[in-house]
């Protein structure tokens, strides 16, 4: 249970000055930070206001009774000035569009890297309106926690930060998400400010993955979509990734040791050698095809002070899985859009695919030929305190899309410096659907490390075809063993037939 929360002083003071100078009486937004169960501490990196909804209405405002409105009109008739910050009616309460705040948290959570999460909600309001809105605030915190839950997150805590302007002060409460609303649902915790971002340690990992999922006839009869199969495959892959060993800066991580050195730490994950369980079951079920989800995923993670280095490894693994699922979710969210426009760059000329449905609704019964879809690539953009956050670009999108997204979702008014954007994923992540035997012949090895050599051989073959040089076929390598086997069989049969005759002549 988190008892102490430390906020980044520089960023939080900027937020306080901005909302105080705006003159608004209420504002709601999300809290970006980290809750560390290992050291029972919470860290707040920044507060992001929820933008107006599609109708232009604010996500939070003050609601007052009719009697208060009448008294306010009488007061203004007597010449008493009223400002938005003077809202101190005993019946004033907050009206919060919790669904919109939760949707904002869901989209922002995709833009965060390892060690950064949407950890709660903040509200700018008077003490009276805050006390009159306890139930609504608790519901909002709970919806945000559910919408922004990280992959296989075991945390059951979320924060509610109140910035009061009457009197002007900060308070923080801890909320147990799984509990029901009681008088103890929002428990006060110690809140203080300090230099949090400057003390973060940075970790980076380039992870090559090749997830292969057989498509069984029995699954097609249940109308499983491509999106369902991929979600299940990523969940199964999470078990392999969880048992992976980590090498940081050339040293194997063997215990919960602290991170003492500064600078960027390079992480390499070593997956265990194990049998491919899905393909073992192929002999017992009828396999119609294979979905191959492959590519390179770049991952960043930030380690808070006093956390063990094993936490950075766990954050890297969680960030990789979240990144894979985020790419799938982005494609699925497009729904109404034509799939030709979103995947044209990565689709083969012989592809046969329905363009009337999104990937989340795509029926695998309609696929009769190999299909290749290019997934969004991950790029990293500078944020606050020297940290990075991310976004995803479709093959046809430019950096202008990044600037629009960060301005709307992260309230970043300053233009993005394109020269500082990191594009570490040089090869686009792709998804391929093809027949089972095509996949087996092209990739006979089940080793995870074979994906990199496979990509290099494909590049060499493409270059030879482009230059007009002949490319050796694998059929030749298959024919030779067959011919040798036939010759051996004929020779054996000849010796078997000749054997008894020679014996009779000797006798």
């Amino acid at each position: 249970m988190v008892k102490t929360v430390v906020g980044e002083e520089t960023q939080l003071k900027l937020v306080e000055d901005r909302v105080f100078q705006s003159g608004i009486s209420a504002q709601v937004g999300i809290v970006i930070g980290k809750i560390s169960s290992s050291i029972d501490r919470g860290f707040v990196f920044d507060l992001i206001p929820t933008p107006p909804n599609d109708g232009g209405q604010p996500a939070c405002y003050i609601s007052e009774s009719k009697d208060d409105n009448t008294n306010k009109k009488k007061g203004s008739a007597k010449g008493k000035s009223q400002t938005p910050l003077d809202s101190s009616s005993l019946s004033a309460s907050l009206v919060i569009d919790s669904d919109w705040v939760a949707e904002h948290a869901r989209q922002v959570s995709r833009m965060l890297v390892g060690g950064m999460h949407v950890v709660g909600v903040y509200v700018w309001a008077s003490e009276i309106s805050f006390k009159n809105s306890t139930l609504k605030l608790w519901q909002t915190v709970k919806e945000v926690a559910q919408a922004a839950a990280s992959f296989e997150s075991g945390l059951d805590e979320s924060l509610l930060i109140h910035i009061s302007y009457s009197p002007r002060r900060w308070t923080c409460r801890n909320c147990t998400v799984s509990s029901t609303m009681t008088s103890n649902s929002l428990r006060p915790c110690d809140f203080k400010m300090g230099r949090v971002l400057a003390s973060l340690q940075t970790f980076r990992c380039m992870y090559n993955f090749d997830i292969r999922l057989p498509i069984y006839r029995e699954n097609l009869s249940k109308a499983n979509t491509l999106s369902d199969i991929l979600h299940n495959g990523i969940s199964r892959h999470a078990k392999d990734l969880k048992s992976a060993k980590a090498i940081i800066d050339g040293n194997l991580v063997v215990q919960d040791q602290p991170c003492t050195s500064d600078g960027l730490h390079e992480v390499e994950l070593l997956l265990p050698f194990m049998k491919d369980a899905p393909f073992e079951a192929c002999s017992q079920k009828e396999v119609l095809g294979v979905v191959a989800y492959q590519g390179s995923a770049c991952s960043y993670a930030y380690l808070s002070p006093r956390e063990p280095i094993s936490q950075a490894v766990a954050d890297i693994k969680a960030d990789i899985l979240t990144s894979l699922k985020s790419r799938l979710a982005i494609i699925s969210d497009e729904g109404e859009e034509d799939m030709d426009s979103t995947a044209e760059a990565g689709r083969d000329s012989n592809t046969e695919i329905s363009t009337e449905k999104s990937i989340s609704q795509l029926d695998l019964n309609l696929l009769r030929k190999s299909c290749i879809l290019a997934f969004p690539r991950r790029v990293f953009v500078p944020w606050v305190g020297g940290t990075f956050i991310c976004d995803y670009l479709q093959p046809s999108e430019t950096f202008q899309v990044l600037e629009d997204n960060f301005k709307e979702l992260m309230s970043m008014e300053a233009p993005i410096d394109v020269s500082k954007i990191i594009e570490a994923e040089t090869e686009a992540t792709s998804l391929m659907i093809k027949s089972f035997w095509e996949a087996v012949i092209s990739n006979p090895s089940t080793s995870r490390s074979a994906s990199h050599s496979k990509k290099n051989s494909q590049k060499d073959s493409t270059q030879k075809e482009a230059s007009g040089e002949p490319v050796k076929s694998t059929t030749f390598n298959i024919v030779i063993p067959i011919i040798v086997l036939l010759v051996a069989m004929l020779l054996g049969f000849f010796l078997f037939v000749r054997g008894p005759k020679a014996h009779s002549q000797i006798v």
Side-chain angles (χ1 to χ4, degrees), residues 321-343:
L321 296 171
T322 300
S323 174
L324 297 182
K325 296 192 73 173
S326 294
R327 300 169 206 257
L328 178 59
I330 290 172
I331 294 292
S332 300
D333 286 347
E334 295 184 350
E336 301 292 333
E337 298 184 10
D338 189 351
M339 292 191 68
D340 282 331
S341 62
T342 59

Side-chain angles (χ1 to χ4, degrees), residues 204-232:
R204 181 177 64 187
C205 176
M206 182 61 70
Y207 180 70
N208 299 321
F209 63 94
D210 191 351
I211 305 174
R212 296 179 173 272
L213 311 170
I215 305 172
Y216 303 116
R217 181 179 293 278
E218 63 180 36
N219 288 342
L220 290 181
S221 64
K222 299 176 184 177
N224 277 9
T225 63
L226 180 58
S227 180
D228 295 332
I229 291 177
L230 284 175
H231 275 292
N232 293 335

